[in-house]
Amino acid sequence: MSVAAGPDNLGCVNYRSDAVIVGGGIAGICAALELLEGGASVLLLDRDEEDNFGGLAKESFGGIFVVGSPEQQRAGFRDTPDAAFADWCSFGELPQSEHWPRAWASAYVHRSLGDIHRWLRDRGIGFFPIPHWVERGEKTIGNTAPRFHLVWGTGRVLATVLAGRLREHRGAARLTSKFGHRVDALLVRNGAAAGCRGTIEASGAEFEADAASVVVAAGGINGSGSLVRKHWHPDWASPPETILNGSHRYADGTLHEAVRAAGGRITHLDKMWNYAAGVHHYRPRKPDHGLSLVPPRSALWVNWRGERVRPPLVSGFDTRALVAAVCRQERQYSWQVLNRKIALKELAVSGAEFNPSIREKRFLAFLRDTLIGNRWLVDELTANCKDFVVAATLAELVAKMNRLQGDEAVRLDVLERDLRDFDDKVARRAASEDEQVARIVELRKYRSDKVRTCNLQPILDPKAGPLIAIREFIISRKSLGGMQTDLGSRVLDESGKPIPGLYAAGEAAGFGGGGMHGLRALEGTFLGGCILTGRVAGRAIRGESNP
Ligand SMILES: Cc1cc2nc3c(=O)[nH]c(=O)nc-3n(C[C@H](O)[C@H](O)[C@H](O)COP(=O)(O)OP(=O)(O)OC[C@H]3O[C@@H](n4cnc5c(N)ncnc54)[C@H](O)[C@@H]3O)c2cc1C
């Protein structure tokens, strides 16, 4: 059957296909690839414009969590699914009672090598030779091995290659993609999903899409400031006044409500993966558009008064704890104070946009940025981003911080005291006296962190200036909760039974099971989770017994 379309006499556009996929992000693309493989006709609907096909994955950094890869082995790590599962459940504090989240976590660690890493490689997607070691854990154990495998070319390549595979598929004639189509509700007949309906944004015309199977792959809720606030986790005090948007502009929960109305169970929406170091995008493409910095480890992390946050904050161990620490402050934003030398080596922005050398696979440029510092990035951010201030002296820096803040809250004497104290411990390499110094020493034992972390660089060192202060806000990113699904990506109802014909994948499904991570997520499991759940949804619909 091919996709059929046409207006009825009430002006409503009608589509008919075997399966309809709501959302053209990476999860929707992977589901579509599997469905075409199985011979189905597919209608893919997306609210966004065609240029953004690929969704957040296209903007992403492209790091994917993989267990037991050749890259890990080359780096000297023999990783196993059992070890990864133990780390995952510890980091996410994922209890035995969480049946479907744990089932998906287990599926992920066992299948990441074959169904994600090898599957992508077979489709021409390569990986950076050394995996990154992120989320090592702080109070709870995190990654005990490096598992973040960066796609060579970032998420841009990941999304565009897979989108290209769809276009070139031998069954491509069975795929119809419609952009600017906002899905508002699901069609349910006799207790089974039967399609969806919505609005064509350009004309305001209504449409209905009939299909025996519906895959909801419309992303999470973290693009909606009001939903982020509504579901704010109590561990993070109250939601901050400013929360930047690092998610999709259409990640607004419309499909969560539609699935709920169809009887589906939505769980764990209070679990989110937000970041502590967001700055305003200076070329915003959506309201409150933020950039998520990879926070420099050698910077001093201080509060709105210029006092060092204690215990000291260092990125790479527990992102959730960083958010909690900032939200505990009276004013829920923070500053990182550093110098140009540190910025050149350590400052980075997550995502494809600000990593041109990796995105465009320019190895020599990447090597240059790593070895002698990323001048382009530092100059770009300090010149354009309003949250960066630069000064030759500390007094001048504090004056600029206060001007930006709009009051005299940052105290020069307090900041100077804390900087001198930290610099003294850095200079003496006093790991036993300062947790941040200890962590820098620990990080530098791993090759890929060593090249991206200064070797104990004092901040007030006159040879390393000028000084830089970055004002950082909480930035919303990923929904860890969502539609509860079984291991066939089938959406479950409140009694735990699958709703016939209804599937969910990617961030919409909490990356599997309605929240496969628990409280915390090991980085790279988002893209990986979208690929796996999307593929499983497509394979389940085409009747695979073990999708
Ligand atoms: C800058 C950045 C860096 C990242 N880096 C990484 C990384 O290195 N590793 C990692 O694992 N993850 C990373 N992520 C997260 C990851 O990219 C996302 O979690 C993932 O891409 C989500 O994919 P998805 O298909 O589930 O949803 P999305 O990409 O959000 O796609 C959903 C699609 O549904 C459409 N849609 C929404 N509502 C409707 C509606 N009502 N009707 C029709 N269509 C609708 C949207 O337009 C969108 O195209 C990053 C994210 C960002 C923003």
Side-chain angles (χ1 to χ4, degrees), residues 226-405:
S226 57
L227 288 183
V228 168
R229 285 169 201 283
K230 179 174 168 194
H231 295 287
W232 197 249
H233 197 282
D235 288 358
W236 289 338
S238 55
E241 199 179 307
T242 301
I243 302 177
L244 298 178
N245 187 353
S247 177
H248 199 287
R249 64 157 74 225
Y250 299 137
D252 63 1
T254 300
L255 265 297
H256 292 67
E257 281 315 308
V259 166
R260 203 196 300 272
R265 182 161 188 240
I266 312 292
T267 60
H268 300 303
L269 289 185
D270 60 341
K271 313 231 171 26
M272 301 177 196
W273 203 238
N274 297 328
Y275 292 87
V279 294
H280 290 87
H281 201 310
Y282 49 90
R283 288 189 298 265
R285 297 188 294 277
K286 57 193 161 202
D288 300 319
H289 192 170
L291 293 172
S292 183
L293 303 182
V294 178
R297 276 106 171 224
S298 302
L300 194 77
W301 211 321
V302 303
N303 68 12
W304 56 285
R305 273 200 283 256
E307 277 166 339
R308 188 178 190 193
V309 179
R310 289 177 198 275
L313 307 187
V314 190
S315 68
F317 295 87
D318 183 346
T319 291
R320 190 172 194 273
L322 298 180
V323 174
V326 172
C327 289
R328 272 197 302 272
Q329 306 296 320
E330 192 181 324
R331 288 192 202 163
Q332 295 161 305
Y333 62 86
S334 62
W335 292 92
Q336 281 200 285
V337 180
L338 60 159
N339 57 41
R340 184 169 170 89
K341 187 170 176 191
I342 294 172
L344 284 172
K345 197 164 189 72
E346 300 188 10
L347 187 65
V349 181
S350 171
E353 189 177 4
F354 288 84
N355 288 284
S357 58
I358 308 179
R359 187 185 67 223
E360 287 147 27
K361 301 186 180 183
R362 290 187 281 123
F363 188 68
L364 287 179
F366 167 75
L367 212 60
R368 181 202 58 208
D369 292 349
T370 310
L371 295 178
I372 61 171
N374 195 339
R375 287 192 171 75
W376 170 80
L377 182 70
V378 175
D379 292 343
E380 179 81 7
L381 290 174
T382 50
N384 298 308
C385 177
K386 70 176 182 185
D387 297 309
F388 280 68
V389 292
V390 181
T393 66
L394 189 58
E396 193 193 334
L397 191 79
V398 167
K400 287 187 173 176
M401 291 164 81
N402 279 330
R403 203 170 310 137
L404 188 59
Q405 218 165 232

Side-chain angles (χ1 to χ4, degrees), residues 22-28 45-48 52 54-57 59-64 148 181-184 217-220 246-248 250-252 254-255 350-352 477-478 505-508 511 523-528 530:
V22 185
I26 196 78
L45 298 171
D46 200 297
R47 186 177 172 186
D48 213 340
N52 296 331
L56 288 176
E59 295 178 33
S60 76
F61 200 25
I64 301 186
F148 188 80
H181 277 52
R182 188 187 74 228
V183 173
D184 299 321
S247 177
H248 199 287
Y250 299 137
D252 63 1
T254 300
L255 265 297
S350 171
R477 184 74 106 210
K478 294 127 188 166
E507 204 162 328
F511 303 94
E523 290 283 350
T525 46
F526 313 110
L527 288 170
C530 290

Side-chain angles (χ1 to χ4, degrees), residues 13-170:
V13 178
N14 292 296
Y15 301 103
R16 190 181 300 276
S17 57
D18 296 331
V20 59
I21 299 172
V22 185
I26 196 78
I29 290 176
C30 290
L33 278 167
E34 292 293 351
L35 283 163
L36 289 189
E37 243 355 79
S41 62
V42 182
L43 174 65
L44 192 149
L45 298 171
D46 200 297
R47 186 177 172 186
D48 213 340
E49 54 198 69
E50 189 166 3
D51 271 0
N52 296 331
F53 190 35
L56 288 176
K58 202 170 171 186
E59 295 178 33
S60 76
F61 200 25
I64 301 186
F65 181 98
V66 182
V67 183
S69 70
E71 290 84 0
Q72 286 180 307
Q73 283 173 24
R74 273 200 303 274
F77 290 87
R78 295 213 175 283
D79 199 12
T80 64
D82 285 347
F85 187 63
D87 293 352
W88 184 309
C89 293
S90 147
F91 198 57
E93 299 182 39
L94 199 48
Q96 292 286 353
S97 55
E98 290 284 2
H99 176 74
W100 290 117
R102 279 178 78 97
W104 270 104
S106 172
Y108 188 108
V109 296
H110 285 91
R111 297 178 64 170
S112 67
L113 189 59
D115 291 326
I116 302 173
H117 186 271
R118 199 171 305 131
W119 188 76
L120 291 175
R121 287 190 68 107
D122 289 348
R123 276 149 193 80
I125 291 164
F127 291 89
F128 191 73
I130 307 167
H132 289 356
W133 197 344
V134 283
E135 299 305 334
R136 295 169 183 225
E138 210 174 82
K139 294 205 171 70
T140 45
I141 292 170
N143 272 319
T144 52
R147 299 186 173 114
F148 188 80
H149 294 64
L150 190 59
V151 168
W152 184 230
T154 72
R156 183 80 52 91
V157 161
L158 175 71
T160 48
V161 167
L162 291 183
R165 291 276 159 179
L166 261 187
R167 271 192 296 274
E168 293 151 15
H169 196 279
R170 61 183 185 287

